Amino acid sequence: MSSQIPRPKLNSELAQVHQALPKIGMSTKEELESYRQFLGSSFSLEDAIRGREDVLSYEERDIPGPAGPMRATIFRPKNETQRIEETPGVLCMHGGGLVSGNRFVGVIGMLDWVQALGATLVTAEYRLAPEYPQPAALEDSYAALQWMSNHSTALGFNPRKLVVCGGSAGGNLAAGVTLLARDRSGPEVCAQVLMYPLLDDSNQGHSVQQFGDIAPWTGLNTIDALRYALGKNHEHADMYTVPSRATNLYSLPPTFIDVGEADAFRDEDMAYAANLWKSGVSTELHVWPGCWHGFDAFVPDAPISLQAGAVRLNWLKKVLESS
């Protein structure tokens, strides 16, 4: 991972924030705790709903998980006017490399869906590595999907319009949960939205060489986080915890994938989209010029972030209209 390798320029709209982002390692417990504190202080419920208090309502509750209750937040529009048959449900898995973060990491962009689509959105905590290696986070997320589907009437949405989404590690979990739902004959997933997802555990590819040295997520972060989550020899890796290992992507729902041009995950995300196409899955892929990992979560008001959000929303509207 060298800055000497030729690479596209970073997007100037994001430069001010990017220059201020810390580059934090994870190789020790102390460093990991520092990263957890960094993400925890960057994303909160207050940040998520700021400016939306008049249009969004939220409820916090514990939902059942494989190892005990999981804290969840449920967002709804304050003035619900559409019929339940028209209302989508969205399960959002948060980012943080499977080792950090809370249920509000990256949720700001998805709250636009609550407003625009009248959606019910659920975001839940899951167990983190290294205290709880995979498949703990995956099974927690699948339990949240089952709970949401089973309580669709009480939550006020149509279970045939159930969407899973997530960014970064949340995208990893969203992809894994979608595969699990297919193979376990679980809840029907209408669509999956994967934002710069972590899909592969090899940490290879030219994009890693180009951009694995920049904040807020480096190639070394990936190595350490996957060692914590998958085990020293990645003994906990399979097609559900590492979706790029799946050789059969048939019968998955319509999929949206986007990633920044300056994201170390770029190449693995493009490869996953190609494999979905090969399996006959309707897939839309966007690569945002000069954007680094998590750009829209850290700079939600940047023009490129707003553009990315609008494209995701428009895609989701079309998919939901046909479901």
Side-chain angles (χ1 to χ4, degrees):
M1 294 170 287
S2 170
S3 59
Q4 301 304 311
I5 296 175
R7 58 187 184 184
K9 293 182 179 179
L10 300 185
N11 192 298
S12 60
E13 298 170 6
L14 310 168
Q16 184 174 359
V17 170
H18 185 260
Q19 290 165 4
L21 288 174
K23 191 184 297 185
I24 305 172
M26 293 184 179
S27 60
T28 67
K29 290 182 178 180
E30 291 75 19
E31 288 179 335
L32 176 57
E33 183 57 31
S34 293
Y35 198 90
R36 286 176 170 176
Q37 291 177 3
F38 162 64
L39 273 193
S41 63
S42 300
F43 300 95
S44 66
L45 173 61
E46 291 73 20
D47 293 329
I49 64 170
R50 185 174 295 118
R52 306 174 191 256
E53 295 88 349
D54 294 336
V55 294
L56 293 186
S57 66
Y58 68 90
E59 171 191 355
E60 297 197 274
R61 68 163 72 175
D62 290 331
I63 64 175
M70 304 183 298
R71 194 64 170 170
T73 302
I74 304 163
F75 294 95
R76 299 182 182 92
K78 269 194 173 176
N79 300 310
E80 300 178 53
T81 58
Q82 64 187 9
R83 297 179 303 165
I84 189 171
E85 293 82 4
E86 302 169 339
T87 302
V90 178
L91 175 63
C92 177
M93 274 70 79
H94 72 77
L98 302 170
V99 298
S100 63
N102 59 49
R103 62 192 181 278
F104 305 113
V105 174
V107 78
I108 289 179
M110 275 56 72
L111 292 183
D112 291 338
W113 305 350
V114 178
Q115 292 179 248
L117 303 174
T120 297
L121 183 145
V122 175
T123 179
E125 301 290 330
Y126 52 80
R127 288 170 290 170
L128 300 175
E131 294 86 352
Y132 302 98
Q134 286 283 45
L138 178 67
E139 293 293 350
D140 286 353
S141 299
Y142 186 71
L145 180 73
Q146 290 180 303
W147 177 84
M148 194 172 177
S149 178
N150 292 338
H151 294 80
S152 59
T153 301
L155 292 170
F157 74 92
N158 184 343
R160 293 187 299 277
K161 294 181 181 290
L162 180 54
V163 177
V164 298
C165 69
S168 192
N172 167 283
L173 294 171
V177 160
T178 302
L179 286 164
L180 276 183
R182 180 198 66 179
D183 294 346
R184 293 179 177 176
S185 299
E188 179 183 352
V189 176
C190 168
Q192 58 175 341
V193 180
L194 313 178
M195 296 160 285
Y196 34 84
L198 169 59
L199 298 171
D200 187 71
D201 64 333
S202 67
N203 203 37
Q204 299 296 318
H206 196 69
S207 57
V208 178
Q209 298 300 315
Q210 285 181 308
F211 296 107
D213 63 328
I214 68 172
W217 188 264
T218 69
L220 292 177
N221 289 150
T222 300
I223 291 172
D224 289 331
L226 291 181
R227 173 170 53 86
Y228 293 139
L230 300 178
K232 182 178 181 181
N233 299 309
H234 292 201
E235 57 268 24
H236 301 302
D238 59 23
M239 63 174 280
Y240 304 107
T241 59
V242 183
S244 68
R245 296 192 178 199
T247 57
N248 174 4
L249 299 177
Y250 297 100
S251 302
L252 291 180
T255 301
F256 182 98
I257 299 176
D258 67 346
V259 64
E261 182 181 56
D263 192 322
F265 295 164
R266 182 194 67 207
D267 292 357
E268 64 194 67
D269 292 352
M270 294 174 64
Y272 197 70
N275 287 335
L276 285 163
W277 288 320
K278 291 175 184 177
S279 296
V281 178
S282 178
T283 302
E284 187 163 321
L285 170 69
H286 288 265
V287 180
W288 299 108
C291 291
W292 33 268
H293 190 69
F295 67 99
D296 60 316
F298 285 97
V299 201
D301 295 328
I304 193 72
S305 301
L306 297 174
Q307 183 184 358
V311 169
R312 294 170 191 147
L313 176 59
N314 287 335
W315 178 86
L316 193 53
K317 281 182 178 178
K318 289 186 292 184
V319 171
L320 291 169
E321 286 171 359
S322 63
S323 65

